[in-house]
């Protein structure tokens, strides 16, 4: 005899599948991707078609924690909240095509500039330009508080995945569901000191470049050229144009951009000390906490940082309702495959 809990779960699964099917039909998705459910069975294929969004509305500002955060917002103010988090060297425009797709589905979509990017600024010149992982997570919690968002779907890639993973792991009451590109990205600094295979180390060349003063000077002088080089390496099949890159590169003019980027990568290597006020949080993160909220992880088939095994490398870190997708794109998945990314958000909302 099925319990009431089982009936509820089945109903949620049915509604989630129905919502996903409706979105797939509306977005015009066909089978260009590889998708696996948590049981390993194939689920409905996704298509990769160009998004139609090319620009956002005006950037808003709100004081939140240590920052005045620049963000864009779309959709009904009383819609189900979705917060979309960008990575490096990227900005909010990674979601310029995803945002209208989700807004059209009734979501309240919030896309913030992370610290050191775009119009996000520190409120005080005395605040350390810290870029350890817990600082970013607390920035987003503070933003949610400022916007009076109690609970949201969190979706991100690169730095954004890490930030969303941390919130989902440590503050699951603030995270309704999670989209995490490249899976589980929470950093253990001590473990991160160990070398990886040479091919992987080579892909991280800029991390080691930034560990030197030459790298600091190089980032200051060549921030645009360096970012474009990383874009092309990270996404070898993405034929972005100059206008697309320049639109994002404007975000690198933030006065704290260099400090934040350098501190982020040095901290990961154990070369920059974190702040004592974050020590308790980092201790919890070093234990690699599992993530219990409903999650879809996504890998880019042509992303040089995608671990082998179709998500198997990090599967055990997600203990709630779960699915995995592999899309035939590179690292910047929401901008390279906006319709598939938007569909994943709607799907995980139905879990």
């Amino acid at each position: 005899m099925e319990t009431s809990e089982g009936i509820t779960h089945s109903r949620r699964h049915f509604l989630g599948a129905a919502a996903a099917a409706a979105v797939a039909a509306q977005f015009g998705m066909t089978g260009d991707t590889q998708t696996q459910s948590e049981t390993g069975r194939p689920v409905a294929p996704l298509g990769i078609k160009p998004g139609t969004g090319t620009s956002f509305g005006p950037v808003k500002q709100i004081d939140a924690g240590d920052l005045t955060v620049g963000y864009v917002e779309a959709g009904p103010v009383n819609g189900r909240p979705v917060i979309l988090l960008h990575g490096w060297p990227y900005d909010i425009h990674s979601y310029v095509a995803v945002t209208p797709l989700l807004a059209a589905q009734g979501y309240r979509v919030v896309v913030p500039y992370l610290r050191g990017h775009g119009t996000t600024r520190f409120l005080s010149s005395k605040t350390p330009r810290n870029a350890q992982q817990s600082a970013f997570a607390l920035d987003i919690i503070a933003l949610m508080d400022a916007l009076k968002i109690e609970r949201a779907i969190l979706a991100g890639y690169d730095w954004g995945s890490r930030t969303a993973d941390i919130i989902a792991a440590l503050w699951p009451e603030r995270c309704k569901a999670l989209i995490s590109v490249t899976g589980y990205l929470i950093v253990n600094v001590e473990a991160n000191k160990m070398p990886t295979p040479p091919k992987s180390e080579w892909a991280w060349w800029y991390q080691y470049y930034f560990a030197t003063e030459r790298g600091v000077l190089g980032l200051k002088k060549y921030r645009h050229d360096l970012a474009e080089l990383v874009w092309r390496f990270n996404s070898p099949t993405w034929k972005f144009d100059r206008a697309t890159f320049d639109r994002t590169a404007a975000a690198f003019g933030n006065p704290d951009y260099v400090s934040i980027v350098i501190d982020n990568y040095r901290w990961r290597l154990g070369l920059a000390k974190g702040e004592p006020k974050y020590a308790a949080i980092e201790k919890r993160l070093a234990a690699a906490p599992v993530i219990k909220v409903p999650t879809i992880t996504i890998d880019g088939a042509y992303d040089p940082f995608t671990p082998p095994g179709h998500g198997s490398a990090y599967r055990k870190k997600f203990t709630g309702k779960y699915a995995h997708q592999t899309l035939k794109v590179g690292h910047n998945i929401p901008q390279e495959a906006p319709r598939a990314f938007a569909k994943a958000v709607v799907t995980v909302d139905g879990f």
Side-chain angles (χ1 to χ4, degrees), residues 234-303:
N234 287 358
S235 302
T237 62
W238 182 30
K239 306 304 180 184
F240 59 88
D241 58 22
R242 172 56 54 182
T244 297
F245 175 75
D246 287 346
R247 184 178 57 190
T248 285
F252 308 152
N254 185 297
D256 298 307
Y257 174 76
V258 172
S259 296
I260 291 300
V261 173
I262 295 299
D263 191 74
N264 181 280
Y265 287 104
R266 288 186 176 184
W267 177 83
R268 291 193 214 177
L269 293 176
L271 301 176
K273 291 183 178 180
E275 289 186 67
K277 69 178 182 179
Y278 300 128
I281 295 174
E282 293 296 347
K283 184 176 181 180
R284 294 173 65 190
L285 294 175
V290 298
I291 292 173
K292 299 178 181 179
V293 306
T295 299
I296 292 176
T297 57
I298 305 176
D299 285 343
Y302 307 121
D303 181 353

Side-chain angles (χ1 to χ4, degrees), residues 56-115:
F56 285 119
V59 175
K60 301 178 180 180
Q61 293 292 139
I62 192 168
D63 291 354
D66 291 334
L67 306 170
T68 171
V69 178
Y71 69 101
V72 293
E73 188 170 17
V77 70
N78 61 346
R80 298 184 301 284
V82 178
I83 299 177
L84 305 176
L85 302 171
H86 69 80
W88 180 87
Y90 306 95
D91 83 328
I92 60 174
H93 290 93
S94 289
Y95 297 103
V96 72
V98 172
T99 296
L101 295 173
L102 293 176
Q105 293 296 310
Y107 289 97
R108 178 188 181 186
V109 186
V110 176
V111 193
Y113 282 110
L114 298 184
R115 57 170 58 195

Side-chain angles (χ1 to χ4, degrees), residues 25-72:
Q26 179 171 340
F27 292 176
M29 294 177 178
T30 55
D32 288 42
T33 67
Q34 301 168 342
T35 306
Q36 279 191 320
S37 72
E38 59 184 347
T39 61
R41 295 190 297 270
V43 298
L46 303 173
I48 302 172
K49 293 186 177 181
T52 57
T54 58
S55 63
F56 285 119
V59 175
K60 301 178 180 180
Q61 293 292 139
I62 192 168
D63 291 354
D66 291 334
L67 306 170
T68 171
V69 178
Y71 69 101
V72 293

Side-chain angles (χ1 to χ4, degrees), residues 212-232:
T212 69
E213 289 308 301
R214 181 187 181 96
V216 176
L217 295 175
L219 183 60
K220 287 179 180 178
K221 184 174 181 179
Y222 299 112
R223 66 185 70 188
H224 292 173
D225 293 350
L226 192 153
E228 185 175 2
L229 181 64
V230 172
W231 274 36
R232 296 192 186 283

Side-chain angles (χ1 to χ4, degrees), residues 18 65 97 124 216 348:
S124 172
V216 176
V348 81

Side-chain angles (χ1 to χ4, degrees), residues 38-227:
E38 59 184 347
T39 61
R41 295 190 297 270
V43 298
L46 303 173
I48 302 172
K49 293 186 177 181
T52 57
T54 58
S55 63
F56 285 119
V59 175
K60 301 178 180 180
Q61 293 292 139
I62 192 168
D63 291 354
D66 291 334
L67 306 170
T68 171
V69 178
Y71 69 101
V72 293
E73 188 170 17
V77 70
N78 61 346
R80 298 184 301 284
V82 178
I83 299 177
L84 305 176
L85 302 171
H86 69 80
W88 180 87
Y90 306 95
D91 83 328
I92 60 174
H93 290 93
S94 289
Y95 297 103
V96 72
V98 172
T99 296
L101 295 173
L102 293 176
Q105 293 296 310
Y107 289 97
R108 178 188 181 186
V109 186
V110 176
V111 193
Y113 282 110
L114 298 184
R115 57 170 58 195
H117 294 75
T119 64
T120 293
R121 300 285 192 276
F122 286 87
L123 292 170
S124 172
S125 60
K126 297 180 180 179
T127 303
R129 273 37 179 177
N130 182 296
Q132 66 190 98
Q133 60 184 352
S134 51
F136 288 96
L138 291 173
D139 288 346
I140 301 306
I141 294 289
L143 175 63
M144 292 174 69
D145 290 344
L147 294 174
K148 295 180 169 49
I149 296 174
E150 184 63 31
R151 196 164 174 248
I153 299 169
L154 300 177
Y157 71 100
D158 198 86
W159 291 16
S161 285
R162 180 172 297 107
T163 302
D165 287 353
I166 292 168
I167 296 172
L170 299 188
W171 297 282
E173 69 279 4
R174 306 304 299 269
C175 181
K176 182 182 186 296
L178 173 69
I179 300 291
S180 185
V181 173
T182 327
Y184 189 90
L185 294 183
I186 296 175
V187 173
N188 180 317
V189 174
E190 287 303 313
N192 211 36
K193 292 178 181 179
M194 297 302 295
T196 59
K199 185 177 180 180
S200 175
E201 299 281 33
W202 174 70
W204 282 107
W205 66 269
Y206 52 85
Q207 179 172 243
Y208 309 115
Y209 181 52
F210 294 156
T212 69
E213 289 308 301
R214 181 187 181 96
V216 176
L217 295 175
L219 183 60
K220 287 179 180 178
K221 184 174 181 179
Y222 299 112
R223 66 185 70 188
H224 292 173
D225 293 350
L226 192 153

